[in-house]
Amino acid sequence: MTVDDTGSGTGAHPAPGGEPGRTAGPVTDAAPAGAAADGEARQDARPDAGTGTRPNHRPDDRSHTGTGLHRDDRSDTESEIRRDDHGGDTRPDVRPDARHEATGRVDPQSEPDSGEDPLALRLEGLILGAERRYTPFQAARSAGVSMELASRFWRAMGFADIGQAKALTEADVLALRRLAGLVEAGLLSEAMAVQVARSTGQTTARLAEWQIDSFLEGLTEPPEPGMTRTEVTYPLIELLLPELEEFLVYVWRRQLAAATGRVVQAADDEEMVDRRLAVGFADLVGFTRLTRRMEEEELGELVEAFETTAADLVAAHGGRLIKTLGDEVLYSADDAGVAAEIALRLIETMANDETMPELRVGIAFGTVTTRMGDVFGTTVNLASRLTSIAPRDAVLVDGAFAEELTRTGDAPASEAAAAEAAAAAEKEGEEPPSYRFALQPMWQRPVRGLGVIEPWLLARRSDEA
């Protein structure tokens, strides 16, 4: 925790809403968000003028629990004693922390130095666009939400409990107020609001980690001898931040439009949640052995190249990359033909790269439950099992996927059926049917947790290669 930049001993503070603060007298009169709460706090906190009596403590000046936040209930004898500004008798004043928790104000002189890196605090202020002002309790109170709900939102976004630290800003209060407002308006249930916080936190956390590890780390290399990375980082972030923020919002809107379009095209309401999809896993062969032989930097470059190639191919052919797991990627597609094309393209691309290990792919087709951008269900488990038993540089699919390819005309039921169809078309003077893929049945085998399955080997038709 740090002192406010304005803390010069005068007691002047900027108001939470951005208005200039007023000079603090014996008891602060600056209004926080919510004038009623402030007035109530001042009325209860002030001693009666000229009586010299101890002020009444508010009923809510008790221990508050939530995310490890506890009020320090000191005895009355520990209250700050000071002489009033008019030179009268000394009288006990309200505790600074009680006053601040009631009003949302923070006295910079009441907070000890946290010992944090000054540059880190400057960068935090630059990125967040606001200075630290609130403890968790103060933020929850200013936002008009319970500590319990504020704690759930905070943890769902992926942040650790911070106890009584003054580490939250006006932006945190606004975010709490917005989420709570959606719940209060009936637009979201409380559980759904927590899911929104969790999904957003998890997605952006990974993005932020990538940007720091890969992006900023390279750009902040000192351009001249004698300069430190810290001297470069602040002005660089200052320049990049607005551009990256606008680009992030643009991509999010594009993705939201695409996802909404897919959902509204569902046949019925049930299909909006439980949909029939093709799900594919692509797995690098022998990755564990590679981790023992390769240097960490080389291994990182290989994984990044694999993930980049897979992501590009999946997107280019109309699939959706669900997630990457280092040596494995999970993708889905509404159409079985699209999923098959992606799988074969991945095999072909990796086979032409001498730096890449061999690849194997497993695909299954069926009902899939989607939650927070991920996919779950028996179909996903089956695709994973098929990947584990697939030959090197080959694609195995389940029976439902093979049937779907046959139904859509992307593959013949068998080579004999394809020959018969070609002969019949030739006899009628018509063009023979053209198939993109070939399917070869494999031996039935038991799969752990899924019983006996009959996998099919997927390949390109010779005239399509």
Side-chain angles (χ1 to χ4, degrees), residues 364-400:
F365 187 85
T367 301
V368 174
T369 298
T370 59
R371 289 287 186 279
M372 294 175 59
D374 208 342
V375 290
F376 307 91
T378 302
T379 303
V380 180
N381 296 337
L382 179 54
S384 178
R385 300 288 189 272
L386 288 169
T387 306
S388 65
I389 63 175
R392 296 167 182 248
D393 285 339
V395 182
L396 277 189
V397 303
D398 72 328

Side-chain angles (χ1 to χ4, degrees), residues 56 132 226 277 318 433 456:
N56 294 327
R132 297 181 177 187
L277 297 174
W456 295 70

Side-chain angles (χ1 to χ4, degrees), residues 184-209:
E184 186 176 346
L187 296 174
L188 294 176
S189 66
E190 186 173 307
M192 182 60 70
V194 172
Q195 283 190 5
V196 168
R198 180 172 292 112
S199 61
T200 306
Q202 289 177 358
T203 303
T204 53
R206 185 175 183 186
L207 174 62
E209 289 291 344

Side-chain angles (χ1 to χ4, degrees), residues 248-272:
L248 174 62
V249 173
Y250 155 74
V251 175
W252 170 71
R253 285 181 177 271
R254 268 289 178 187
Q255 293 286 5
L256 188 63
T260 303
R262 289 193 297 267
V263 169
V264 298
Q265 292 175 22
D268 50 46
D269 289 342
E270 289 186 6
E271 194 177 337
M272 295 175 104

Side-chain angles (χ1 to χ4, degrees), residues 13-21 30-33 103-106 133-134 142 169-170 173:
H13 308 282
E19 299 177 2
T103 65
R105 289 288 308 279
V106 176
R133 185 179 296 275
Y134 300 101
S142 296
T169 71
E170 284 293 336
V173 172

Side-chain angles (χ1 to χ4, degrees), residues 8-65:
S8 59
T10 62
H13 308 282
E19 299 177 2
R22 288 174 286 187
T23 303
V27 179
T28 179
D29 289 328
D38 183 32
E40 195 178 335
R42 291 199 306 270
Q43 182 178 357
D44 291 343
R46 293 179 187 273
D48 294 333
T51 63
T53 59
R54 180 180 293 111
N56 294 327
H57 290 282
R58 298 186 53 165
D60 58 352
D61 277 351
R62 295 173 297 186
S63 175
H64 296 269
T65 60

Side-chain angles (χ1 to χ4, degrees), residues 64-76:
H64 296 269
T65 60
T67 57
L69 176 65
H70 302 279
R71 285 279 301 275
D72 182 13
D73 287 328
R74 291 171 289 182
S75 65
D76 292 337

Side-chain angles (χ1 to χ4, degrees), residues 24-25 30 58 71 80 82 93 100 118 179 259 344 380 399 458:
R58 298 186 53 165
R71 285 279 301 275
E80 179 182 348
R82 66 182 183 184
D93 195 5
H100 298 150
L179 275 177
L344 293 173
V380 180
L458 176 72

